[in-house]
Structure formats: C-alpha cells, structure tokens
Amino acid sequence: MNLVLNHLFVLINNSRLKKTSSYIQHGNTSCLLHTIAVAHYSIKAVKFLGIECRENELIRGALLHDYFLYDWHDGLKERRIHGFTHPSAALKNADKDFELTVVEKDIIKKHMFPLTVIPPVCRESWIVCAVDKVCSLYETFRKNAYPKLRFILARNHISVYEEG
C-alpha cells in the first residue's frame, strides 16, 4: 500500500485528482476510492500471481484510469454511453495534467475492454482491466466498500469523499 500512497500523494498534489472524490463511481463508492482500490488490488494481484510488471506505471495508470472528471450519474443524454466514452475522456484529462508513458496511456484507454473494442497491449493494462471489473462488482453490491482501505487512507489524512 505504501507504493500506492506514494504515487497518490504526488498525483493528488499536482493535479485535479482530488476532484474525483466528489463523484460517485459505483454504489456509494467515490471515483477516488475506486481508483485507489484498483491500484491497490492490482499490485496485490501481481504479487500474489508472481507476475512481473512495471509497478510504478501500473499504479499510476490505475490511479488515473477513471480521470474523466464529471458526474456520470447526472442524467445528461451523452452519459448513457459513459462506459464506452469515459476512457477517452480520462486519457485526455490525464494527458493534459501529466506526462504519461505508453503503458499508462494504454491502461487508461483500454481498461474498459471489451467495450473499448481494441484490446490492451501490455500486461499492466490487462491487470487493471480485470481488477477494475472485480472492484466495480464489489462496489455495486457492497455498501461502504473497502473498510480497511478507508481506515488506512484516513490514517494518512486522505479523504476519499468531498468534504463539505
């Protein structure tokens, strides 16, 4: 979790990433908590499975994979196809705020495969793609998901929900 937190502190202090705490992703889970969970469990998965990967890029890509910066539950007509369009919006925003590697771009753009018809190219993208789906299911069916993760984040003074 320390490596995820290190990247999170850098990204959150140099971008609009904190803004994602004001958007709900699945169930009652904020977009920020969702992306932190995807990063955390992606690292846990590669360690458990013994998969070699570019961990820093895996974490950064996971933290930015849903950096679309809008409330997709707002009822606007164009949000009906959010699942198909948000990877491009997230990549556009991330590309604007950060210098991204090819791997990070692939993670962000392809995490919704097979909805994004072109499959991921690198193993880091496949990992985030799979973990994102598991986290999304968990968040949809579990109220107040990730209690241990929330505790760790609170202990590190990271609020994953907009204050106010």
Side-chain angles (χ1 to χ4, degrees), residues 17-80:
L17 187 61
K18 183 67 179 152
K19 188 175 180 180
T20 64
S21 68
S22 65
Y23 306 127
I24 295 298
Q25 182 65 325
H26 309 106
N28 69 344
T29 302
S30 74
C31 193
L32 182 59
L33 179 56
H34 166 75
T35 59
I36 294 168
V38 171
H40 173 68
Y41 288 108
S42 291
I43 286 295
K44 285 185 79 98
V46 297
K47 301 265 190 222
F48 179 77
L49 297 170
I51 298 171
E52 288 188 30
C53 73
R54 293 161 280 215
E55 290 184 5
N56 291 316
E57 291 170 281
L58 173 73
I59 292 168
R60 281 175 46 98
L63 289 171
L64 296 171
H65 82 275
D66 280 336
Y67 195 55
F68 46 84
L69 303 174
Y70 58 79
D71 177 7
W72 68 275
H73 302 93
D74 62 12
L76 295 176
K77 189 176 180 181
E78 60 266 23
R79 304 289 194 245
R80 292 181 193 163

Side-chain angles (χ1 to χ4, degrees), residues 54 57-58 61 101-108 122 124-125:
R54 293 161 280 215
E57 291 170 281
L58 173 73
T101 67
V102 172
V103 171
E104 292 163 352
K105 289 179 182 181
D106 194 62
I107 291 168
I108 297 166
C122 53
E124 294 82 2
S125 300

Side-chain angles (χ1 to χ4, degrees), residues 2 9 16 18 22 27 29 37-38 44 51 72 78 82-83 89-90 97 113-114 133 135 137 147 158 160:
N2 286 338
F9 283 126
R16 299 172 285 170
K18 183 67 179 152
S22 65
T29 302
V38 171
K44 285 185 79 98
I51 298 171
W72 68 275
E78 60 266 23
H82 168 78
D97 290 356
F113 180 78
K133 285 159 182 54
C135 287
L137 278 170
I158 300 169
V160 291

